[in-house]
Amino acid sequence: HRVPSDAFRNRIVLIGLAADGISDLAKTPLDNGGYGVFVQAQAVDAILHNPSITWIGHSTMLVRMEA
């Protein structure tokens, strides 16, 4: 099947493996073996929705940490 080229316009698309028996597992402080694409999706979500993270350049971000 072909997907129209505009189907992904202005979208963030993550492609990864997520099935039993697949070795794309990523350890995090909260999970011993989550799928890598899920970890990436959580990072993207945090970057997009966290007001403490600000883009200051094309590929640079500033993270404001408060105590």
Side-chain angles (χ1 to χ4, degrees):
H1 299 291
R2 291 188 60 87
V3 177
S5 60
D6 63 341
F8 300 117
R9 189 177 320 251
N10 298 320
R11 305 270 194 271
I12 296 173
V13 178
L14 301 175
I15 299 173
L17 304 173
D20 288 336
I22 301 297
S23 62
D24 181 30
L25 298 177
K27 291 184 179 184
T28 69
L30 301 176
D31 190 357
N32 250 354
Y35 296 118
V37 71
F38 292 161
V39 174
Q40 293 169 354
Q42 290 171 336
V44 169
D45 183 66
I47 291 168
L48 294 176
H49 296 106
N50 188 333
S52 296
I53 299 175
T54 305
W55 287 101
I56 58 174
H58 176 68
S59 62
T60 306
M61 70 181 82
L62 172 68
V63 178
R64 184 180 69 236
M65 300 178 80
E66 299 175 8

